[in-house]
Amino acid sequence: MSYSGSNMGSGSRTTRRTFEYGRTHVVRPKGKHQATIVWLHGLGDKGSSWSQLLETLPLPNIKWICPTAPTRPVAIFGGYSCTAWFDVGDLSEDAPDDLEGLDASAAHVANLLSTEPADIKLGIGGFSMGAATALYSATCRILGQYGNGNPYSVNLSAVVGLSGWLPCSRTLKSRMERSHEATRRAASLPILLCHGLGDDVVAYRHGERSAQTLNSVGFRDLTFRSYNGLGHYTVPEETDEVCNWLMAKLGLEGL
């Protein structure tokens, strides 16, 4: 699947990029289908890496959709191409934001969720850059639009971010202040953030600061968990936390 994006400047069309997304892996629910979650991998990874892990979780009511990001040049690697949801020069909320890439990936995720049945609860989760994309999608949901102003219409019931950060954090507060509806939506959207204190790729302080920013602009149902000794990877203690949180927030029956 491809997504075309363009920048408009001074009344004229500038660079247009087309993003070709890789293979999408789906883990079907083993029990009654109650929720669908799109799970996004980290920089340089692919959807199958996470689908294999998610299939082992004791969450029989969830359908997991694990897409693969486009292969594109990435600034942090000196322009070397790898799978990435957006371009990034630094793995933190301080990095310049690739708004076009973020919008394209958020739209790709929304499209994957748009065909789910009306009675199914929808969520987005991810690891590292995937977590950043999930959090960006959360801000699009509560603002009702993408960064480019196009409407965002997917109703999210849960967002999970592991070892990630919040893109566009510097402008979020001013955008939120323009909309009472955004504040109301933010207060009711459950978010779980988990981060290892030993993370040497996306430093713990970036995850902590992202949680603080989200809380300060009105995300009241936000849980932030830290793990001693955990680096830039996941462990059973963390996945257990995710399972318990999803069961509670989505009201899953477990059968």
Side-chain angles (χ1 to χ4, degrees), residues 185-248:
R185 288 176 179 168
S188 60
L189 177 59
I191 296 181
L192 172 65
L193 300 180
C194 302
H195 217 108
L197 289 163
D199 196 326
D200 59 355
V201 178
V202 180
Y204 174 80
R205 68 179 182 276
H206 296 311
E208 185 179 44
R209 194 185 307 166
S210 296
Q212 291 169 347
T213 298
L214 288 168
N215 187 262
S216 70
V217 299
F219 285 85
R220 299 290 176 240
D221 193 354
L222 185 147
T223 302
F224 182 71
R225 293 282 185 262
S226 58
Y227 300 86
N228 287 320
L230 179 62
H232 199 64
Y233 49 86
T234 190
V235 291
E237 180 186 357
E238 186 178 48
T239 54
D240 287 349
E241 181 90 36
V242 171
C243 289
N244 293 334
W245 186 86
L246 286 173
M247 288 278 290

Side-chain angles (χ1 to χ4, degrees), residues 88-111:
V88 63
D90 179 32
L91 299 183
S92 76
E93 77 277 16
D94 298 320
D97 295 306
D98 172 21
L99 197 59
E100 186 183 7
L102 283 161
D103 276 346
S105 288
H108 182 67
V109 171
N111 186 58

Side-chain angles (χ1 to χ4, degrees), residues 43-178:
L43 182 62
D45 204 355
K46 55 188 177 181
S48 60
S49 298
W50 281 93
S51 65
Q52 294 168 20
L53 170 64
L54 296 170
E55 193 167 17
T56 68
L57 299 183
L59 293 168
N61 307 117
I62 294 180
K63 172 185 174 182
W64 299 96
I65 301 176
C66 303
T68 299
T71 298
R72 69 177 79 196
V74 178
I76 197 171
F77 294 146
Y80 175 81
S81 291
C82 68
T83 53
W85 299 110
F86 52 92
D87 191 18
V88 63
D90 179 32
L91 299 183
S92 76
E93 77 277 16
D94 298 320
D97 295 306
D98 172 21
L99 197 59
E100 186 183 7
L102 283 161
D103 276 346
S105 288
H108 182 67
V109 171
N111 186 58
L112 291 172
L113 290 170
S114 66
T115 56
E116 292 300 295
D119 62 336
I120 299 301
K121 294 179 179 178
L122 307 177
I124 305 174
F127 175 80
S128 192
M129 175 180 271
T133 307
L135 289 178
Y136 180 73
S137 296
T139 63
C140 291
R141 161 57 190 154
I142 59 98
L143 290 165
Q145 61 182 24
Y146 296 94
N148 60 18
N150 291 338
Y152 185 96
S153 57
V154 176
N155 185 19
L156 299 176
S157 296
V159 175
V160 178
L162 311 182
S163 306
W165 71 95
L166 174 65
C168 303
S169 61
R170 294 179 296 276
T171 59
L172 182 57
K173 184 176 182 180
S174 62
R175 296 183 71 198
M176 288 281 295
E177 287 173 345
R178 300 183 210 135

